[in-house]
């Protein structure tokens, strides 16, 4: 079974993928980790690398290729990433969302940055990514039509989110 979990920064995709992975005993990969690794390879901050990627379509194409190849060679896998649903043949496609202030608070706690800085960085990053996705792939990140399940993570803890996904798996 192949599952994709997408969402904006701080929406809980990595946590949901991790909890679900443990509950159903299948591995997960993260497009965000791949992107951060690529930034490190270029010795850039995440913001710098996001801006760099705006003018370098090879970055997004390489990221999509890396996760797609891993999924193609897997029988069971959770693929976590904003655009994973578009590039991975999946049995279930999930989009997680949450209000900006909640997402920023989560990122602030995770990265030990002030809430104000995180909100500013998040807005810049999301605008940058939205432009790239539309330009490179003609994907509107705010269109959820491709997803089988869209879930507001503000209302549920990680275990509850995993249980909702497991319930959804039983009916498909």
């Amino acid at each position: 079974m192949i599952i994709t979990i997408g969402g904006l920064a701080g929406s809980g995709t990595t946590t949901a993928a991790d909890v679900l992975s443990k509950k159903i005993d299948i591995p997960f990969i993260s497009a965000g980790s791949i992107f951060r690794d690529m930034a490190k390879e270029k010795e850039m901050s995440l913001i710098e690398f996001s801006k760099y990627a705006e003018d370098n379509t090879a970055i997004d194409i390489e990221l999509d290729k890396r996760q797609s190849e891993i999924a193609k060679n897997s029988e069971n896998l959770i693929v976590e990433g904003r655009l994973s649903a578009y590039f991975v043949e999946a049995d279930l496609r999930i989009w997680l969302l949450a209000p900006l202030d909640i997402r920023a608070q989560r990122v602030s706690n995770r990265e030990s940055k002030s809430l104000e800085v995180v909100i500013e960085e998040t807005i810049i990053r999301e605008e940058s990514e939205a432009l790239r996705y539309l330009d490179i792939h003609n994907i509107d990140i705010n269109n959820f039509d491709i997803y089988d399940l869209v879930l507001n993570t503000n209302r549920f803890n990680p275990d509850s989110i995993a249980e909702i996904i497991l319930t959804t798996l039983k009916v498909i």
Side-chain angles (χ1 to χ4, degrees):
M1 171 168 303
I2 306 294
I3 300 168
T4 64
I5 301 178
L8 299 176
S11 62
T13 57
T14 303
T15 301
D18 184 44
V19 171
L20 184 63
S21 171
K22 290 174 181 161
K23 283 186 178 280
I24 60 177
D25 195 29
I26 65 173
F28 83 93
I29 61 168
S30 167
S33 292
I34 294 169
F35 191 80
R36 283 187 285 277
D37 289 344
M38 292 169 71
K40 286 179 188 173
E41 289 168 14
K42 294 284 188 186
E43 299 180 351
M44 294 180 174
S45 73
L46 195 54
I47 297 294
E48 290 170 330
F49 193 65
S50 291
K51 285 292 188 187
Y52 172 73
E54 280 182 21
D55 298 321
N56 190 342
T57 58
I59 301 298
D60 287 286
I61 292 167
E62 177 63 23
L63 175 63
D64 302 333
K65 179 182 171 187
R66 287 186 192 188
Q67 66 178 345
S68 178
E69 287 300 316
I70 294 168
K72 281 180 189 174
N73 295 314
S74 301
E75 186 175 328
N76 294 303
L77 186 66
I78 299 167
V79 183
E80 181 271 327
R82 290 197 209 358
L83 299 182
S84 300
Y86 291 91
F87 300 105
V88 173
E89 289 296 321
D91 299 295
L92 179 63
R93 292 177 171 94
I94 301 163
W95 183 260
L96 302 181
L97 52 85
L100 175 61
D101 61 327
I102 300 299
R103 294 185 300 109
Q105 186 64 56
R106 291 173 180 169
V107 174
S108 173
N109 293 340
R110 181 179 67 215
E111 297 182 4
S112 299
K113 292 182 179 179
S114 76
L115 186 58
E116 295 77 21
V117 167
V118 171
I119 289 172
E120 182 180 338
E121 288 180 353
T122 300
I123 291 168
I124 292 168
R125 179 179 176 192
E126 289 175 4
E127 288 173 356
S128 169
E129 289 173 345
L131 290 172
R132 284 198 335 268
Y133 301 156
L134 196 56
D135 186 47
I136 296 168
H137 303 295
N138 198 30
I139 294 172
D140 176 358
I141 195 69
N142 297 308
N143 180 339
F144 306 131
D145 291 350
I146 194 170
Y147 299 99
D148 304 303
L149 177 65
V150 177
L151 182 60
N152 183 344
T153 62
N154 182 41
R155 304 217 178 257
F156 304 99
N157 66 39
D159 282 325
S160 296
I161 292 166
E163 289 302 320
I164 292 167
I165 295 168
L166 290 172
T167 300
T168 303
L169 285 171
K170 291 176 186 174
V171 297
I172 61 169

